Amino acid sequence: MFLINCPYCGERDQSEFSAGGEAHIVRPKQPTELSDDQWAEYLFMRKNIKGVQFERWNHAHGCRKWFNMVRDTSNDKIHAVYKIGEKPPIN
Amino acid sequence: MSKDLRIINNRFIDQTTRISFKFDGKTLYGFKGDTLASALLANNIHLVGRSFKYHRPRGIMACGSEEPNAIVQVGNDASMTEPNTRATEIELYEGLEASSQNCWPSVNFDIGAINNFFSPLIPAAFYYKTFMWPSNFWKLYEYFIRKSAGLGKSPTEPDKDIYDHRYLHCDVLVVGGGISGIIAAKIAAKNNLNTLLIDDKNILGGTTLFQENECFKINNSYSNEWLKKEIETLKSLENLTIKTRTSLAAYHSYNYLLARENITDHLDINEKKDKIRQRLWKIRAKKVIIATGSMERPLIFNNNDRPGIMLSSSIKKYIDYYGVKCGQKISLFTNNDSAYETAISLDNSGVNVNSVVDIRDKTNSSIVKQAEKLGIKIHWKSTIVNTNGYKKINSIEIMKLSDDGAAVVGKKIKEQCDCLGISGGWTPRVHLFTQSGGKLNFRDEDNVFLPGKSELDQISIGSCNGDFELDEIIKNSVNSTNKFLKVNNNDYENLEIISSKEIHKKNIWLLPSDKPLGKTKPFLDFQNDSTANDVKLALREGYKSIEHVKRYTTTGMATDQGKLSNMHALGIIAETAGVKMGQLGTTTFRPPYTPLTFGTIVGRNVGEFFDITRKTPMHEWHIKNKAVFENVGQWKRAWYYPVDNENMHEAVQRESKAARDSAGILDASTLGKIDIQGSDASEFLNRVYTNAWSKLEIGKCRYGLMLNEDGMVYDDGVTTRLSENHYLMTTTTGGAANVLSKLEDYLQTEWPELDVYLTSVTDHYGTVSVCGPNSKKILSKVIPDLDLSDKEFPHMSFKNALIDNIKCRVMRISFTGEHSYEINIQSSYAKSVWEKCYEAGKEFNITPYGTETMHLLRAEKGFIIVGQDTDGTMTPVDLQMDWIISKKKYDFVGKRSLYRSDTIREDRKQLVGLLTDDPKEVLEEGAQIVTEKNKQPIEMLGHVTSSYFSPNLNKSIALAIVKNGKKMKGKKLFVPMENKTINVTITDTVFLDKENKRLNA
Amino acid sequence: MKNKYSIFSLIKNAFSYHENWQRAWKDPEPKKEYDAIIIGGGGHGLATAFYLAKKHKMTNIAVVEKGWIGGGNTGRNTTIIRSNYLWDASAGLYDHALKIWENLSQELNYNVMFSQRGVMNLAHNLQDVRDLKRRTHANRLNGIDAVWLNTEEVKKFCPIINTSPDIRYPVLGGTLQRRAGTARHDAVAWGYARGADAMGVDIIQNCEVKGIKRNGNVVEGIETTKGFIKTKKIGVVAAGHSSVIACMVDLKLPLESKPLQALVSEPVKPIIDTVVMSNAVHAYVSQSDKGELVIGAGTDAYVSYTQRGSHDVVEGTLKAILELYPIFSRMKMLRQWGGIVDICPDASPIISKTHIKGLYFNCGWGTGGFKATPGSGDLFAHTIANDEPHKLNADFNINRFVSGDLVDEHGAAAVAH
Amino acid sequence: MLNFNTPIIDSKEYSEIKFSKVEPIFKINLRGKNRDFITKIGKELSIITPVDPNTSSSNEKLNLLWLSPDEWFLYSNDKVDIKDANTLEDNLFNEISKVKLGSVTNVSDHWIMINLKGTKIFELLSAGCPFNFNNFKNSKGAVTQTLLNHIDVIIHNKNIYDLNLFVRRSFSSHLWSWMNDSVRFI
């Protein structure tokens, strides 16, 4: 069980959180302008990185805030968490 | 018990309290403090089980969790019996009943032993090479294989015991209460760190506790006496919690650890009742100190598995701790110094030690000198080439080793004995360290894997970190702990430590015999019966990687998880393959460290607490009125209300009729309700629903459909505009939580610019839904001062009202097609309002109806239920609900997906109505629909999603999704059942009151 | 040709103390060039190679494996085999596999212990009943054996299930496929490896792929830890690591690799002789021939390549096991482990060409890949050999995620094993 | 007159632990982002709006709990007359929601409040709650939202060994019986 540092509430047990997948996939502002391929890219295609990945988490059973996490998927080490809209502290 | 095997030794067991127990039906006696194993040995019982494959006689070999052989069935009560329990870990208690496993009719005479005779035919993995003919016979072969496999027996009745969980957060967790763990815990606690020390034994101290030997002294007293004082001071420290009988089961990432505390297993049978049997501690530690010690290795030689062959250190513990002699004429076999400690202990206790067989050329460490002084005979540079005795060892055959150790030379000496202690050196218990993801390093001089790099805040100290000598153990434990905790404890400075030093080391993984290897049985994994030959066979056949060898030979996969066998297996693999063990690496140790009872892992999440039960404010009323309940998610919803002996069908027919003919009342409290406020509320709704909301007047309600971004229907419900910037959204019962978090997600991450706030009010309101032609009359009685005229209060609108000056919201909306009202009031008053409506409705025969009737009524009107009539592959267009997709809106969630090449296809599966040719015939929900009779396989056009007998139309009706159904109205199709085919016709989805007259009736 | 395995060969070898068994497969160094290379030495990859050689006579091919063959999900799954899937496409795919399973031991001359002890899926709420009945009917019409059992029949078929109406989510019935069952996972990998090796296929272990060389839009070979290997056709069967390989050619797949955990109990005498699955309460259990209860747990929601999952998942699974089998409370967990499962949004696999010439992907099997091993290998071999999908895997192309023509098995098999 | 029903109808006393059902008090959920909102509720309620995570502020009548950067939870100490409750709710609504400063939502019956007293209450919580109470238990006024026996709860550390626990009404009877079952093993 991870120990996740919610950027708002502090360190909490993983069971209070829910994972939201890859981060920084912005919903297209003008979907109708997109080709089927471009739309599929947004809907389904994922980097699914082995290594340092940027992802979304939600403190579902706490403050209910979504935030971003930098985590190494090859060893589950969490490098950083940051609020939605903030720049990633690492890149 | 046979007296001559007990010596007076009251230090750790209470030889004044006799305890009676049963083994294989025979009543025996032991003392308080004994384990089952020590008590059996005291009764001169070594043979306790049969091996897995060859059913060879096997005896007690060790004294702890590494025991491979002495695994027994405890208890014979169908609900309380426990299979595969280690006799070495069972503390003896009054009333204990245990029996040997995997043997029939008895451990002394076991039919299965015939396998041993056939053993040449059944080498490792033989089963992959045979049982293939005739091809359909595997089922039969398997039946017999399954019968002969397996060890103990599963209980056949539910467990009566209770298990529990506890979360615990500490600064420092110390695992292992041996000398290093005690030192570490003391240092941590004395520095005001909130510390937890756990040990799986019933008392602290580890092996030093009974180490009373001239060669191991601290400040001039025996190491055990020094340690006892340490333990005393430990008990007085306040930041320290000590838990004995608590074993670390799993070490997960982020220093999350699971420990099992045994609370009642050692208690007398009649003291166990109504107590927690085992508690699982879920520990979150800032820092972890592993001090789990090490295990003695066996030696691998021909017939090294006979009862009476034991680990040398275990023989020492049985005599020094339990006061039990494992034999009268004991021989020892070793490649290192520790066997001499055993020899000395035995000698001190007056047990005759035949000799020590030592594979080393000669050594003169102080401990060996002491043994020689005592006149103990030593066979240097020798090995045991064979052992004799079927159910108990009776002699060993000794030969000299060649200089390279690869062969034996000279003549064979036979030596009588009734017990053989073997010592192949020591293996650090690095299991927890590797579980936590740490990497191991290999130390060549004594062939051990040691903790290396770790991502976590942890260290290993003591012999689990490769320190095997008293002075090193203390010195390094202190230094590492100080460094690790960044403290400077000086309690242990200038201790005067005497410790015998091992000078010569020699290791031979597979000891030679005078017979060719093929003719010998040098066992590696005693429980799974895999020998060195099996490992070599695997390598010969190309199963090279450790994991392949392990899986092919099953070495290390028994209930001891290879604690004793892994190192030798690796050694022999490395030797045979000619690689260094360091490069070979090791197999991964997986949790749990020792097998963990399911009940302990589950704790009290059983029965009533298996899952949460959610109840509506009217729940008690439903119970009083005999409602049958349906599980909807975690909710209990009234399903139907049988009167007298009605079955479900009868009840539902009655309820449905009453609702249309006069009045019905439904508990709709479970629907999700979300309070939406903010200046952008309307814009928000425009984005999350498919239809337009900006123009919805204040006080009006509107049905909305919500899609996933993939364009598929996700949820639906009625949303009401309470004021300019204030809406109340309702969702499906099952969807409530997901919809709210999905909406929050969009607000927080995609549209932070929107000024909108969401608050769940699902539980705040109870919802009473009154429907039917008389609903208006009933409501006017309940809320007299509310103008219910169609003009003032038309369909799809809402009013604020007061019932006995409790605020409530009344919506005039309908899921049944009837004239109906929903009263939303604070939950605390909902039951009361429900009763009020029920009273007021009595004169109109108001009838409470449940979810089944609700489903039937809405089906008559062709209203969908998301999740029943949709399955995540249906678009609004597929549902023939094109009308609800706003053409004007530029975008909404899921819109783009509706225009993909597949989603715009004309011939997708679409929602239609179905009528059976025989109006009495009710279709089965889930039944498939085809174009032709009696053909198979055949393309399926779709399936029946909802189906009922409508009492109001007096015929069977159904909703279905059918390929290209839109264009097929009037078409005849077939529903093939197992035994018959039903003729159906595709119709419109609305079966009743197409003109919606009843809404205003 | 390899010596045949049989009771006779066992007897014969017994006389020479089993000193003369042949190697099941050699460990060759890679050649400079192959006609095709399979990346990934799991069951699917080895089966692909086997059928390429056997059916399509492509014997100058290699399987390259980063670690040891069968060490990924093949050696980590709960070995459930069934074909009672909802959609026609899935039913076709999985039943094709099941038919091969039925004679696989003979085809490979390696006993994979395919045991048709039946797989039963339980329903615990009304929607479960609708969904499972829908599946049962669909299976029947697809020619796949499936019967609906009411609660009493469920109890009769597997007496140790707690079918009391008073439990939190009572058993309302179930669907049974008798032809379904389990097999010995390691034997599948080893049997295919031995068979492929016998036809000349090179099985190269401890050989990690570092890159894929392309000329424009055409593959030319792979860079590995054992050097460059030339080839015109590359079949990627890397399961959890598919995205890692795809990344080498800047290809994004609709996959997420998540931890899936499983566990076994200590071995006991036979107590359950079938496979019971319950999606609603997340309990999947069977008993191995060795006597261990084999229990499949769920997946975690996050991406991870660590082969470890969270304890809550294991606790949740055993909670469900004890709800349905209260008699197992005193059984002990012997071992728990995790695999990395690559999951598609529609819970169906991808067996497909890509826009890159000569590059093929077989992935997205999620939690249910083992049962498909022989069929997957056969169809993927066909796709590679003909540069054209077989009709049975035509629907499982990558393009479905663009068109929206998904094979959505979520309703039917959210956590199927 | 409508009568009042609550799913938890009794109080339970054990050695060193006491659970009490609580008189109907009123509870309001407040949401808003900007400064004006924060100052406005402070003014309306004559209470300092807690802006630090996991904290609260109280006066003799009211408690205001931080739930998230844009969400607060207000509850009264004692039973409040329904009329006063309505007026207070309406005032807040008009002063905040109407003027687009944020949202004001009555959640009096959404949450059930259970009071826990006694020196063993944290052991009870640790039987089903992953939250680390080591510091929490000594800091008066601390607030946490977490899980207890898999159920969402808000816990307000009113006083030393005196907690107010809030649970959604539909979950409350289940949690209540779990708590009473758990006490047996403390």
Side-chain angles (χ1 to χ4, degrees), chain B residues 256-281:
Chain B
Y256 182 78
L257 303 93
L258 302 172
R260 181 203 63 229
E261 181 183 14
N262 267 334
I263 300 174
T264 63
D265 281 355
H266 62 288
L267 298 180
D268 289 356
I269 215 95
N270 46 24
E271 292 170 12
K272 295 179 194 277
K273 282 195 181 47
D274 307 325
K275 299 197 182 80
I276 295 277
R277 180 193 174 203
Q278 295 180 344
R279 173 171 281 137
L280 188 71
W281 290 91

Side-chain angles (χ1 to χ4, degrees), chain B residues 50-51 58 80 131 133 185 260 275 309 316 377 409 423 473 533 641 671 728 740 767 786 801 875 913:
Chain B
R50 292 280 178 155
S51 65
R58 290 286 163 82
M80 305 300 268
F131 302 128
W133 184 91
R260 181 203 63 229
K275 299 197 182 80
I309 301 181
K316 182 179 188 298
K377 180 152 173 278
V409 294
S423 175
I473 290 173
N533 316 29
Y641 301 79
L671 289 183
L728 180 69
L740 179 60
T767 306
L786 183 62
T875 69

Side-chain angles (χ1 to χ4, degrees), chain D residues 66-126:
Chain D
W66 180 97
L67 296 186
S68 96
D70 63 7
E71 186 166 11
W72 286 262
F73 180 70
L74 175 74
Y75 76 94
S76 65
N77 281 324
D78 315 302
K79 178 169 184 174
V80 182
D81 172 80
I82 198 84
K83 279 206 175 51
D84 310 352
N86 289 343
T87 35
L88 185 106
E89 179 187 352
D90 296 343
N91 289 343
L92 283 170
F93 190 85
N94 297 332
E95 290 302 312
I96 291 165
S97 189
K98 271 238 159 45
V99 299
K100 302 178 181 179
L101 277 181
S103 75
V104 174
T105 311
N106 186 336
V107 288
S108 299
D109 285 4
H110 188 69
W111 297 100
I112 292 286
M113 178 168 121
I114 300 171
N115 176 264
L116 287 78
K117 279 194 185 61
T119 53
K120 289 276 180 74
I121 53 181
F122 290 101
E123 281 174 54
L124 173 74
L125 294 177
S126 73

Side-chain angles (χ1 to χ4, degrees), chain B residues 65-82:
Chain B
S65 62
E66 60 272 40
E67 175 60 47
N69 293 339
I71 48 179
V72 299
Q73 184 96 27
V74 174
N76 46 21
D77 172 320
S79 70
M80 305 300 268
T81 184
E82 183 174 5

Side-chain angles (χ1 to χ4, degrees), chain B residues 596-756:
Chain B
L596 193 57
T597 308
F598 286 2
T600 314
I601 298 170
V602 173
R604 275 173 36 256
N605 298 309
V606 290
E608 176 190 358
F609 302 118
F610 166 66
D611 193 20
I612 296 155
T613 304
R614 297 179 69 181
K615 296 175 184 163
T616 73
M618 296 77 132
H619 189 79
E620 293 314 311
W621 191 95
H622 302 323
I623 287 179
K624 232 171 72 252
N625 291 268
K626 312 268 185 308
V628 177
F629 289 88
E630 174 194 8
N631 286 314
V632 183
Q634 293 174 318
W635 285 99
K636 288 282 177 192
R637 291 198 74 177
W639 190 11
Y640 59 95
Y641 301 79
V643 172
D644 306 327
N645 313 329
E646 276 180 335
N647 62 24
M648 172 162 144
H649 176 72
E650 293 158 348
V652 169
Q653 294 291 305
R654 174 181 48 76
E655 292 170 12
S656 312
K657 198 127 183 43
R660 294 236 186 263
D661 295 351
S662 176
I665 181 168
L666 171 86
D667 177 358
S669 307
T670 62
L671 289 183
K673 306 170 206 69
I674 302 170
D675 184 87
I676 304 174
Q677 297 178 40
S679 47
D680 297 319
S682 305
E683 169 60 16
F684 178 65
L685 292 173
N686 280 333
R687 296 187 190 185
V688 297
Y689 277 133
T690 61
N691 47 348
W693 291 80
S694 315
K695 293 201 173 57
L696 181 66
E697 295 165 40
I698 293 168
K700 289 279 186 290
C701 315
R702 179 169 287 170
Y703 173 80
L705 206 54
M706 213 178 273
L707 310 185
N708 256 329
E709 284 292 10
D710 67 2
M712 304 304 155
V713 172
Y714 178 74
D715 201 81
D716 68 346
V718 170
T719 294
T720 304
R721 190 165 201 172
L722 301 170
S723 66
E724 177 62 26
N725 305 316
H726 192 188
Y727 290 83
L728 180 69
M729 172 189 280
T730 60
T731 75
T732 61
T733 298
N738 298 339
V739 169
L740 179 60
S741 66
K742 183 185 164 97
L743 298 185
E744 270 291 344
D745 188 356
Y746 276 105
L747 278 176
Q748 290 180 33
T749 63
E750 299 294 350
W751 310 320
E753 72 280 5
L754 291 188
D755 173 43
V756 176

Side-chain angles (χ1 to χ4, degrees), chain A residues 1-2 13-15 18-22 25 35-41 43-51 53 55 57 71-77, chain C residues 66 240-241 243-244 247 251-258 300-306 308-313 342 345 398-404 406:
Chain A
M1 305 297 293
F2 302 167
D13 187 90
Q14 182 187 335
S15 52
S18 60
E22 190 178 328
I25 301 175
S35 69
D36 281 4
D37 288 275
Q38 291 166 316
W39 182 245
E41 180 81 9
L43 266 189
F44 298 123
M45 302 305 162
R46 298 293 176 259
K47 292 205 192 93
N48 195 29
I49 293 167
K50 181 181 189 179
Q53 156 161 301
E55 56 192 14
W57 285 75
R71 186 174 58 92
D72 187 332
T73 61
S74 66
N75 60 15
D76 285 343
K77 195 171 191 274
Chain C
K66 180 175 64 178
H241 282 76
S243 299
V244 177
C247 178
L251 185 67
K252 265 210 229 162
L253 296 170
L255 293 177
E256 283 193 305
S257 297
K258 296 176 175 178
D300 277 291
Y302 54 86
V303 169
S304 179
Y305 289 81
T306 57
R308 284 144 87 217
S310 56
H311 171 71
D312 280 7
V313 171
D342 44 323
I398 294 181
N399 188 55
R400 73 179 189 265
F401 297 95
V402 176
S403 67
L406 304 183

Side-chain angles (χ1 to χ4, degrees), chain B residues 354-534:
Chain B
N354 298 329
S355 72
V356 179
V357 181
D358 195 323
I359 73 168
R360 296 175 296 179
D361 301 1
K362 181 99 181 81
T363 187
N364 51 1
S365 55
S366 55
I367 187 93
V368 174
K369 284 207 196 97
Q370 195 193 353
E372 281 169 324
K373 219 185 284 124
L374 295 167
I376 292 166
K377 180 152 173 278
I378 304 170
H379 301 275
W380 293 111
K381 200 182 176 186
S382 302
T383 184
I384 295 177
V385 294
N386 191 20
T387 68
N388 306 300
Y390 182 54
K391 289 177 192 167
K392 174 93 178 281
I393 186 169
N394 56 31
S395 70
I396 55 176
E397 296 167 21
I398 307 165
M399 287 179 82
K400 281 267 176 234
L401 279 164
S402 64
D403 293 339
D404 62 359
V408 284
V409 294
K411 68 174 188 8
K412 211 188 290 184
I413 309 163
K414 195 159 186 172
E415 183 173 280
Q416 304 298 323
C417 66
D418 59 359
C419 176
L420 173 67
I422 54 178
S423 175
W426 295 86
T427 300
R429 296 182 195 260
V430 293
H431 307 69
L432 295 178
F433 175 79
T434 49
Q435 270 186 31
S436 76
K439 300 274 162 287
L440 296 172
N441 303 329
F442 190 73
R443 188 167 70 190
D444 292 298
E445 75 252 32
D446 54 354
N447 299 294
V448 291
F449 282 102
L450 298 175
K453 204 175 144 294
S454 165
E455 289 287 332
L456 305 181
D457 203 352
Q458 63 163 357
I459 53 165
S460 297
I461 58 171
S463 61
C464 72
N465 195 40
D467 293 334
F468 295 118
E469 276 155 10
L470 186 60
D471 51 348
E472 286 175 9
I473 290 173
I474 296 176
K475 196 167 93 279
N476 297 342
S477 296
V478 172
N479 295 343
S480 321
T481 307
N482 274 330
K483 194 155 150 282
F484 179 59
L485 301 179
K486 301 186 186 64
V487 300
N488 197 351
N489 177 296
N490 50 19
D491 295 355
Y492 302 96
E493 275 170 27
N494 46 57
L495 285 180
E496 189 190 304
I497 306 170
I498 298 171
S499 174
S500 171
K501 292 270 166 197
E502 187 164 271
I503 306 160
H504 296 95
K505 299 190 187 302
K506 181 173 181 182
N507 183 59
I508 302 172
W509 292 116
L510 172 57
L511 291 150
S513 167
D514 53 338
K515 294 205 202 74
L517 182 65
K519 283 191 177 170
T520 61
K521 276 211 161 43
F523 283 92
L524 276 175
D525 187 314
F526 294 84
Q527 195 185 115
N528 272 359
D529 270 353
S530 63
T531 64
N533 316 29
D534 293 325

